[in-house]
Amino acid sequence: MCLCVPAPLLELGGLVVMAYRVVLRAQQKHPVRFILPLLLLVTLLVAVWAESRDYYNLLGVSREATTREIRQAFKKLALTMHPDKNPGDHTAHEKFLQVNRAYEVLKDEDLRKKYDKYGEKGLDEQQGGRYESWSFYRYDFGIYDDDLEIITLDSGDFEAAVNSGEIWFINFYFPRCSHCHQLAPTWREFAKEMDGVIRIGAVNCGDNNHLCRRKGINSYPSLYIYRAGQKPEKFNGERSKDNLVRFSMQFITTTVMQLWQGNVFSEIENAFMSGLGWLITFCSDTGDCLEPRTRQKLAGMLDGLVKVGWMDCTTQEQLCASFQVTSGATALFPPGSSLDQQGSVLWLNTLDSKEIYSQVINHLPDLELLTSDSFQRKLAHHRWLVSFTFGDRGTASNEYKKLQAFLRNDHIQVGRVDCIADSELCQSLYIHKPCVAVFKGLGIHDFEIHHGKDVLYNIVGFARDSVRAHVTTLRPDNFPSDRKEPWLVDFFAPWCPPCRALLPELRKASIQLAGQMKFGTLDCTIHHNLCSMYNIQAYPTTVIFNGSSVHEYEGQHSADGILEFIQDLVNPSVVVLDPSSFAERVKGRAEGQIWAVDFYAPWCGPCQALMPEWRRMARMLSGQILVGSVDCQRFQTFCQSQGVRAYPEVRLYPSNARQPDRFMSYNGWHRDAHSLRTWALSSLPRASVDLTPESFRSLVLSGQDHWVVDFYAPWCGPCQHFAPEFEVLARIVKGEIRAGKVDCQAHYQTCQSAGITAYPTVRFYPYLGRRRYEHSGEPINSRDANVIADTIRQRLQLLLPQLHSKPKDEL
């Protein structure tokens, strides 16, 4: 027998053989003494090889690395390790396959979680089996990864970005698109020009195909402006920097007001009363005055914080003189300043919009400082976004000043806590490093910490979602270990990208399950002991606590997946089988009973992907086929005795109780709920009958029963998909309505006479006496068995009065 062994194992094997030979020679002289050293040496070599195979080590990144950092690290390795660059190295292909596999796994949130939890054995062997040419990685891969002004968005953060309230101009591109590469230098120049005015983004549609299709992107590059609550606007002009700037500037609708003697003082005072300052540029024949485009940029950059205006000192000479202006100049009048106290005014000596923005932000009042004395009182009945700081606050704290403007309409107040001055307060909340948290107006203990990107659009989106949701940051003093009400607890680490991606989904689920289940998150980097108590080995791990029972969530990291899992806990659709119950219920099944059983292992990636589909299929088959599952990690010997050799193994045990060991294995390519359901239903005995032209006339058109008929063609894909659904319908209405099928390929004239023009077509033929109500039948516009059954029954209820009113000689 020949075995295929990967190159790293061959290298390891060579080392082991060499070590073995050395030890063997010595063992010939001292037989016993060298057995233990050999075993230790082999163990050490295996450990070294396993360490070298660690995906994070292969890419040279930390376990906290972002998707962008992973992509950048892989690109560097691809440019040096690619076989195209190492033609003389016969191991180059195998080495690069390892690196490529590591990248393919770690860039994908779901695969990364499985790898973190189960290692390589939790993954499908096919990931990373193919790679591109060296030139692709050099010229096409990660076009904008190194551009700080351009924010690379993916499926996980796209919606939060475009709904944050900021204006986004997004470039949807494809790596192999030549026009996309031609645009790249212009897009970079444009991004530098508009940096800080609007957000400039890029979406790689090669990596985010589903996102781009959802957004209707069908050509590359596609450039769209996004504003919260409004329809995206597509750019269709020539792709020059000036055209892009002109197009984007029209969406900055903040007014730049011309100030003059008749409005200047009332406008300034009104702004001050609202807590807003004024940035005024005075234009004269001499000196410097901001250009109209610069004024408009600053109006957008400072919207909600400072109003922007200009004054024509050639016509308002006395007014300008009252501001002690004799030539062109620009000044900031902060909120609360007095026009006759020039000491509070900031005179600006630059015409650059970015420099002016920086100086203005620095000069504006800081966020309200909350202390241990005021914290509890202020947060008792109002919603707050609070920034917790430790000493040096950096440039981010100035950007946080804009949060007040973004969240004003959401009635969320913004403040800060100095954890150096109020260390006890921060320690009581288990806050040990700078962070932002939302307090929901229910006291100081009901809050949620932000673990997303430290950028405004992400923080704003988090704050808006968090105040509506019902997710609480947990600590030892409020952990629900002994609570009677059900809790969903997410054990996570802030550095883990799949964890961060799951948090918005938890918020969505908490809204839908409000009043039924409580939601909490526990940071395992802070609460190590609590996480160890529940044997948390990978992040995120989501657990349902329901009284004395504890259930770990396995499924897709989505709100819908969580809701389905919880629904299944309340009303389980899949029977958990052990060897005893399998023998009793499956092998000892009653005549007519059918079982579908999934033999799985928890560490198996494809098994995990199947779990939510298996539960969904079980609900769809409720009342028709019994559905179970067997954990082959727990019952390994039993599964081996049943001949299970690979996972997942899906089997159908048919209704013949006299052959209890007989089963059919599922060999289909697709493992979604609908495909599995169709396969399972195909094993049921038919409840419908095939109709010929003669039987259609005698039984349906001239008979004395109600009929529902499926007109189909054997070659029609939707007909094949609908066939098992029609059998479900036939069983639902059995005894009330008869079900039949007409093959329109074999009986074309019959279908043509019935007016059938498309397949499948479902018609209802009610019997109302001697004369059939309608020879063409009543069309039913649904392909759902339950909907069709309800429709027919409702129709019969309406027709009953007609049936009872018929003369006796017509019945």
Side-chain angles (χ1 to χ4, degrees), residues 394-413:
T395 56
S397 61
N398 280 331
E399 286 292 301
Y400 284 1
K401 295 175 183 178
K402 298 176 73 174
L403 289 169
Q404 298 176 97
F406 284 127
L407 297 173
R408 187 173 289 126
N409 292 335
D410 299 285
H411 307 291
I412 301 173
Q413 301 182 57

Side-chain angles (χ1 to χ4, degrees), residues 577-601:
L577 298 167
D578 56 25
S580 174
S581 59
F582 183 88
E584 178 186 345
R585 303 193 63 181
V586 180
K587 292 291 183 72
R589 60 191 179 278
E591 188 68 37
Q593 271 192 353
I594 300 173
W595 276 86
V597 180
D598 170 29
F599 296 87
Y600 73 97

Side-chain angles (χ1 to χ4, degrees), residues 611-622:
M611 281 180 183
E613 298 296 327
W614 192 249
R615 290 194 295 267
R616 196 172 297 125
M617 181 207 73
R619 285 194 295 275
M620 294 163 71
L621 291 174
S622 178

Side-chain angles (χ1 to χ4, degrees), residues 54 416 420 577 600 671 799:
D54 179 86
R416 63 187 177 92
I420 299 296
L577 298 167
Y600 73 97
R671 288 180 181 150
L799 293 174

Side-chain angles (χ1 to χ4, degrees), residues 753-771:
S753 300
I756 306 303
T757 57
Y759 313 120
T761 293
V762 179
R763 293 277 176 88
F764 174 47
Y765 293 84
Y767 174 71
L768 296 174
R770 288 182 181 173
R771 188 166 55 85

Side-chain angles (χ1 to χ4, degrees), residues 18-36:
M18 190 182 302
Y20 176 75
R21 287 171 179 167
V22 171
V23 175
L24 188 61
R25 294 191 194 103
Q27 189 186 3
Q28 291 171 353
K29 298 181 180 179
H30 307 281
V32 178
R33 188 187 307 172
F34 284 91
I35 293 176
L36 183 59

